[in-house]
Amino acid sequence: MPVHCTCTGPPKANVFVFNLPAPVRDLELYAPFSTFGTVYSAKVFTDKQTGASKGFGFVSYQDPRVAAQA
């Protein structure tokens, strides 16, 4: 289960993910990336007014080496 926080991993441990399909939310982003290692957070960015996905997000890992593998 992802940790939902404003924390990020150490330098070079954060992965930018783009071209996400509109229905993808935090849990769907977390699931495939968690197979690589410990995830601090997985966040899909959404429009504050409409709640619609902006099509991108970030996954923050505990370890930069794990982020590089992801």
Side-chain angles (χ1 to χ4, degrees), residues 16-24 29 33 44-45 53-58:
F16 174 68
V17 184
F18 60 99
N19 288 334
L20 294 173
V24 172
L29 180 61
F33 285 92
V44 175
F45 282 73
S53 172
K54 292 186 175 184
F56 70 91
F58 289 89

Side-chain angles (χ1 to χ4, degrees), residues 16-68:
F16 174 68
V17 184
F18 60 99
N19 288 334
L20 294 173
V24 172
R25 295 294 181 245
D26 295 349
L27 287 175
E28 290 91 6
L29 180 61
Y30 167 82
F33 285 92
S34 68
T35 61
F36 292 96
T38 302
V39 173
Y40 277 158
S41 65
K43 179 70 181 154
V44 175
F45 282 73
T46 57
D47 182 279
K48 291 184 186 212
Q49 292 180 345
T50 66
S53 172
K54 292 186 175 184
F56 70 91
F58 289 89
V59 178
S60 295
Y61 285 98
Q62 180 180 16
D63 185 330
R65 292 172 294 190
V66 172

